[in-house]
Structure formats: structure tokens, C-alpha cells
Amino acid sequence: MSLLSVHDLAVARGGMRAVEGVTFTLGAGQALILRGPNGIGKTTLLRTVAGLQPAVAGRIEAAPDAIAYAAHADGLKTALTVTENLRFWAQVFGRAEIAAAVEAMNLRDLTGRPAGTLSAGQKRRLGLARLLVSGRPVWVLDEPTVSLDADSVALFAGAVRAHLGQGGAALMATHIDLGLPEAEVLDLMAHRASSTGRVVKPAGFNEAFA
């Protein structure tokens, strides 16, 4: 059963077509890693799949509310504690359980700390823990290991493996080897747009807020 299908997708950044002809399908237990040089369009593609900006062409098929997206920003409320942040996001996703996320991302000694007092790596672990409280089957991740040390990368890789083992799927842009031999790799250089002509944006779409 497909959790996410992308068909002949083309996306644009700054009004210019970036990549095109991207097609893939992710089912339960499958992971796909996007590769390519800086500026090729990995972030733009992920944002489009996550529904944060419109596609230029093609289609994306996923069940409603199937995707949880983690970008470069950690999405934290700095005045709230670790526990309060996770409870907030759990409620956003209609859930209540946060204990598993706390354990999986090694946050148990930080639960009472305001997020604003955490180190960059601790904030990143907390931001990624949001995925675990979402309950959504498809994780879309943009450079998820930024600011993480080797031990934390291993924690995150374990969380991804557990998610896949429970029937989830993951789409990631990362240059780090997460030790996921089952993951396939898609090199976006093969999909670099052949035309760099400007793209007409949909009415009401403001890329600055996308």
C-alpha cells in the first residue's frame, strides 16, 4: 500500500523552475534519501511534498494529514519547557502521549528546562521529537541531523528505523549516513530543470511566507 506517491513533479524556487520529472512511491517501511549539491532544489521539493508551496507540474498523492514535516527551524516555543513543547505539539496532532518521544530522543533529563535555554543540539533533538508525537505515517525531513553530535545522530537513526518498522515511511534530504541500508537514494541532479524560464505563481501565493 502506498503512503506517498509523487508523479512527474516539477517545483520552482524564486520563480525559477528547479527540478522536474520527479517520480517515486513510498510504502510502509520504505525510506528515500534525496541527494544533490546545494541549491539543486532539495528543500523546495520537500516543502512542496509537505504542502507548503504549490507544484509547477505533476501531482502528489497522500492521505489527508499523513505527512509530518521537519525543516531547518525546530519549531519550538522558547518560553515553554521541553515537556510543555511536546504536549503542545501532541495536542496539535490530536494526541496526548509524549513519554516515548522523550525517551527516544534522550530528553528525560531536560523535561523541565525552557526550550530557550537548550543548546543547539538539544533544541534539534526536541524539534525532531515532535515527529514522534505526531502519529503521522510519513516523515518528510530536511537535513534532520544539523547540530547533532554522533550519539544524537544514532538516536535519530534509531527513531527512523523504529518508525519504518512500525509501518511508517520517510523522505529525507541528508548528507549523513544514517545506517539505513534499506533506504533508496534519489539524486536530483538527474532531474535538474532543463528550462530556467520564470514560472507564474498561483494567485495569492507569497513565497516569502511559504
Side-chain angles (χ1 to χ4, degrees), residues 101-166:
V102 168
E103 288 299 316
M105 297 311 298
N106 191 23
L107 297 168
R108 54 189 173 276
D109 294 333
L110 303 172
T111 52
R113 291 265 302 274
T117 68
L118 302 178
S119 71
Q122 290 168 340
K123 288 177 181 177
R124 192 59 172 168
R125 297 204 321 265
L126 176 55
L128 292 171
R130 292 184 299 133
L131 295 167
L132 282 75
V133 303
S134 73
R136 295 191 171 183
V138 181
W139 290 359
V140 175
L141 311 168
D142 193 0
E143 298 294 349
T145 60
V146 170
S147 300
L148 295 184
D149 59 23
D151 288 343
S152 296
V153 170
L155 279 177
F156 172 69
V160 173
R161 283 193 295 271
H163 178 65
L164 300 179
Q166 294 164 3

Side-chain angles (χ1 to χ4, degrees), residues 4 6 24 26 30-34 45-46 49 138-142 169-173 186:
L4 172 66
V6 170
F24 61 84
L26 286 177
Q30 293 184 313
L32 179 65
I33 296 175
L34 302 181
L45 177 62
L46 293 175
V49 169
V138 181
W139 290 359
V140 175
L141 311 168
D142 193 0
L171 173 64
M172 298 176 279
L186 176 61

Side-chain angles (χ1 to χ4, degrees), residues 6-204:
V6 170
H7 305 272
D8 201 24
L9 189 68
V11 302
R13 181 185 62 251
M16 308 294 286
R17 188 177 286 232
V19 295
E20 59 191 5
V22 177
T23 297
F24 61 84
T25 298
L26 286 177
Q30 293 184 313
L32 179 65
I33 296 175
L34 302 181
R35 291 279 165 78
N38 292 338
I40 190 66
K42 298 186 295 295
T43 293
T44 303
L45 177 62
L46 293 175
R47 289 174 57 81
T48 304
V49 169
L52 298 177
Q53 67 182 70
V56 174
R59 68 184 190 277
I60 301 163
E61 298 174 354
D65 297 326
I67 295 174
Y69 176 60
H72 294 157
D74 295 316
L76 306 178
K77 294 185 177 295
T78 57
L80 298 184
T81 66
V82 167
T83 293
E84 290 167 341
N85 267 280
L86 287 177
R87 284 178 177 162
F88 169 82
W89 282 109
Q91 290 171 3
V92 166
F93 292 112
R95 297 168 65 85
E97 173 60 38
I98 68 167
V102 168
E103 288 299 316
M105 297 311 298
N106 191 23
L107 297 168
R108 54 189 173 276
D109 294 333
L110 303 172
T111 52
R113 291 265 302 274
T117 68
L118 302 178
S119 71
Q122 290 168 340
K123 288 177 181 177
R124 192 59 172 168
R125 297 204 321 265
L126 176 55
L128 292 171
R130 292 184 299 133
L131 295 167
L132 282 75
V133 303
S134 73
R136 295 191 171 183
V138 181
W139 290 359
V140 175
L141 311 168
D142 193 0
E143 298 294 349
T145 60
V146 170
S147 300
L148 295 184
D149 59 23
D151 288 343
S152 296
V153 170
L155 279 177
F156 172 69
V160 173
R161 283 193 295 271
H163 178 65
L164 300 179
Q166 294 164 3
L171 173 64
M172 298 176 279
T174 179
H175 296 286
I176 300 296
D177 181 4
L178 295 177
L180 300 171
E182 67 272 34
E184 296 186 12
V185 175
L186 176 61
D187 189 344
L188 290 184
M189 278 297 291
H191 296 279
R192 174 173 272 175
S194 56
S195 171
T196 57
R198 294 195 66 81
V199 175
V200 177
K201 298 175 186 176

